[in-house]
């Protein structure tokens, strides 16, 4: 039997150390420093009713368990549950509700979230009200006696509006409404919603947590024992689990999350300032700019301003010209990878949202979104300069 010295994480460990070590122990059989990929469907039992804590891979998997412990620590929650996608994670959260329950939702939420709520969950008599959650008074005004959940996204996708998390949580909790925050756009490096009072945090781990555009997954981080008990049950009962290979890839990603986010933040700030000064750009949405209407809030509740920028060019045709003339920057869905991606929200990420609603929440046809990667910022600036010269 190989004996290995365990790596111990102090309770006072800082964020970057937590990212690397939380949930991670050297493999007891070999001493391997990296958690193995346990690519197995079942586990041999020593005797009837006696096993090593693992029975069947839908229920438990050591690689998945390591990831869940890692992300729970990163987000400062009590437990985490990893799923096959961000939407599967959101779907699991919504099983906390019952027919007749009401949810208040950030109006400028991700298109896939809107599709899940409106096209799927309304069939099961759940009701949704969409509000500008940057206005705490609008949240309070939308809460009803049957409201059970406040579902927030901040910064929003793609207009980058912010919600005052502390104020929103206070309003919700005064009415016994649980708060869930989609923290995908920011990442836990930039903000940790639980620190401001949130009960649940969801992520598409596909994005910044993985960071390398080679895995699809989702996670829910919980703080309340009743939520934890139910999510553990529904993860096994519904079975929309993340696979061990994807779990391992996200574990690899979280180890470098802090240094990647530093570069994402710096590059995005530089590109936002470049775009804001360009004569062919109509409007730039980025919380780091002093012109952003919630810049002061961003400085208060965020560490850095994130890696996402959106900007308007004045017409769909001008946006199309830009999108078709970038060379280094890739025209593609998704975000949060080391490479810079550019997209057209109205026809890509938010195509499932009705056109009139897109207009209401600021997703105009001329809007372009950039997920800023970690390349040399001068190369990114040169690429955008070339594309804008064609507009």
């Amino acid at each position: 039997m190989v004996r290995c010295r365990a790596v111990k994480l102090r309770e006072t460990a800082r964020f970057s150390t937590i990212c690397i070590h939380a949930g991670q122990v050297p493999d007891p059989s070999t001493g391997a420093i990296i958690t193995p990929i346990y690519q197995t469907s079942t586990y041999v039992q020593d005797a009837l009713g006696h096993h090593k804590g693992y029975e069947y891979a839908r229920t438990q998997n050591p690689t998945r368990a390591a990831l869940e412990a890692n992300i729970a620590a990163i987000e400062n929650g009590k437990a985490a549950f990893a799923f096959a996608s961000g939407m599967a994670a959101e779907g699991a959260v919504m099983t906390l509700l019952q027919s007749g329950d009401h949810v208040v939702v950030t109006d400028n939420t991700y298109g896939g979230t809107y599709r899940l709520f409106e096209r799927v969950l309304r069939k099961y008599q759940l009701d949704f009200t969409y509000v500008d959650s940057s206005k705490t008074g609008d949240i309070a005004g939308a809460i009803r006696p049957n409201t059970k959940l406040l579902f927030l996204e901040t910064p929003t996708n793609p207009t980058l509006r912010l919600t005052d998390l502390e104020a929103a949580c206070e309003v919700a909790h005064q009415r016994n409404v649980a708060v869930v925050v989609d923290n995908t756009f920011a990442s836990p490096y930039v903000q940790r919603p639980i620190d401001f009072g949130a009960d649940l945090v969801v992520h598409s781990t596909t994005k910044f947590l993985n960071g390398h555009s080679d895995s699809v997954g989702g996670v829910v981080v919980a703080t309340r024992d009743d939520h934890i008990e139910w999510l553990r049950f529904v993860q096994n009962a519904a079975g929309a689990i993340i696979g061990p290979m994807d779990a391992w890839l996200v574990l690899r990603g979280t180890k470098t999350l802090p240094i990647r986010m530093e570069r994402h933040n710096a590059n995005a700030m530089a590109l936002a300032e470049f775009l804001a000064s360009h004569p062919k750009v109509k409007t730039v949405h980025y919380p780091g700019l002093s012109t952003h209407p919630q810049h002061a809030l961003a400085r208060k509740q965020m560490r850095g301003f994130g890696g996402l920028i959106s900007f308007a060019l004045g017409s769909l045709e001008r946006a199309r010209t830009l999108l078709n003339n970038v060379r280094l920057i890739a025209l593609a869905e998704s975000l949060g990878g080391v490479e810079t991606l550019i997209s057209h929200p109205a026809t890509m990420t938010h195509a499932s949202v009705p056109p009139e609603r897109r207009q209401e929440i600021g997703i105009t046809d001329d809007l372009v979104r950039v997920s800023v990667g970690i390349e040399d910022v001068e190369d990114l600036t040169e690429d955008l300069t070339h594309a804008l010269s064609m507009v």
Side-chain angles (χ1 to χ4, degrees):
M1 177 69 177
V2 175
R3 295 183 180 273
C4 61
R5 184 178 177 181
V7 176
K8 294 184 179 179
L9 194 64
R10 294 177 183 269
E11 290 185 5
T12 55
R14 280 79 169 174
F15 185 82
S16 295
T17 306
I18 291 170
C19 287
I20 294 170
H21 292 291
Q24 317 296 290
V25 294
D27 176 53
S29 62
T30 66
I33 192 69
I34 297 298
T35 302
I37 303 167
Y38 286 91
Q39 194 71 50
T40 185
S41 62
T42 193
Y43 309 87
V44 174
Q45 301 191 13
D46 295 330
L48 185 62
H50 295 276
H51 53 77
K52 295 179 175 64
Y54 297 92
E55 300 169 83
Y56 186 62
R58 183 185 71 248
T59 311
Q60 313 109 335
N61 178 278
T63 314
R64 188 178 87 213
L67 173 65
E68 291 171 338
N70 182 257
I71 295 180
I74 289 171
E75 277 286 11
N76 204 21
K78 288 181 68 174
F81 302 90
F83 294 88
S85 69
M87 294 314 304
E90 288 189 10
V93 168
M94 303 312 288
T95 66
L96 292 165
L97 304 175
Q98 299 183 33
S99 177
D101 286 347
H102 173 250
V103 184
V104 177
V105 188
T106 298
D107 58 359
N108 180 210
T109 196
Y110 168 54
T113 301
Y114 181 84
R115 179 174 55 216
L116 173 68
F117 291 177
E118 292 299 310
R119 299 289 300 276
V120 178
L121 296 182
R122 278 197 185 273
K123 293 175 62 178
Y124 300 94
Q125 285 73 57
L126 293 180
D127 194 14
F128 302 90
T129 297
Y130 300 88
V131 301
D132 180 355
S133 60
S134 68
K135 302 174 182 176
T136 306
D138 287 6
I139 295 173
I143 294 176
R144 309 172 186 169
N146 64 330
T147 303
K148 302 298 186 212
L149 196 67
L150 171 61
F151 191 100
L152 300 173
E153 185 178 324
T154 181
T156 59
N157 180 5
T159 60
L160 297 158
R161 284 207 313 266
L162 307 184
T163 296
D164 186 326
L165 288 170
E166 187 173 16
C169 290
E170 184 178 353
V171 163
H173 290 157
Q174 286 173 351
R175 305 278 287 275
N176 294 315
V177 174
V179 180
V180 56
V181 179
D182 183 345
N183 200 28
T184 300
F185 242 46
S187 89
Y189 175 88
V190 171
Q191 67 186 14
R192 299 203 296 183
I194 289 169
D195 293 350
F196 295 95
D199 302 287
L200 297 151
V201 172
V202 297
H203 283 273
S204 168
T205 62
T206 312
K207 312 305 193 299
F208 287 111
L209 289 175
N210 168 256
H212 294 78
S213 302
D214 56 10
S215 169
V216 173
V219 71
V220 183
V221 182
T223 61
R224 287 171 38 175
D225 290 342
D226 57 335
H227 290 166
I228 291 168
E229 181 180 0
W230 176 255
L231 288 166
R232 181 174 290 116
F233 172 80
V234 83
Q235 184 188 47
N236 180 56
I241 55 167
I242 194 170
M245 182 65 188
D246 284 302
W248 185 87
L249 288 168
V250 180
L251 269 175
R252 177 208 55 188
T254 59
K255 291 180 186 299
T256 61
L257 177 67
I259 57 173
R260 285 189 288 107
M261 290 309 304
E262 287 175 10
R263 186 63 171 264
H264 285 300
N265 283 345
N267 279 0
M269 188 74 232
L271 286 188
E273 290 175 340
F274 162 75
L275 290 165
S277 66
H278 199 285
K280 292 187 178 179
V281 176
K282 182 180 173 185
T283 309
V284 179
H285 304 287
Y286 186 65
L289 295 176
S290 60
T291 53
H292 190 284
Q294 296 165 293
H295 178 65
L297 176 61
R299 293 179 65 88
K300 174 186 173 184
Q301 73 179 25
M302 299 169 73
R303 178 167 67 169
F305 306 106
L308 276 298
I309 303 169
S310 64
F311 58 98
L313 285 162
S315 72
L316 173 60
E317 196 52 46
R318 289 166 66 87
R320 190 195 314 276
T321 300
L322 175 87
L323 292 163
N324 289 343
N325 281 281
V326 288
R327 295 171 177 171
L328 174 64
I329 299 171
L331 176 59
E333 300 241 9
S334 200
L335 59 102
V338 292
E339 62 286 302
T340 299
L341 304 178
I342 195 165
S343 65
H344 185 241
T347 59
M348 296 172 73
T349 55
H350 289 70
S352 60
V353 179
E356 62 278 6
R357 177 162 181 77
R358 289 201 302 267
Q359 291 295 320
E360 289 173 6
I361 58 179
I363 306 176
T364 53
D365 288 346
D366 67 336
L367 192 70
V368 172
R369 190 190 79 185
V370 180
S371 172
V372 183
I374 66 172
E375 302 96 336
D376 190 300
V377 71
E378 292 185 7
D379 291 321
L380 297 174
T381 304
E382 287 175 3
D383 197 38
L384 283 172
T385 299
H386 163 76
L388 284 164
S389 73
M390 308 297 288
V391 172

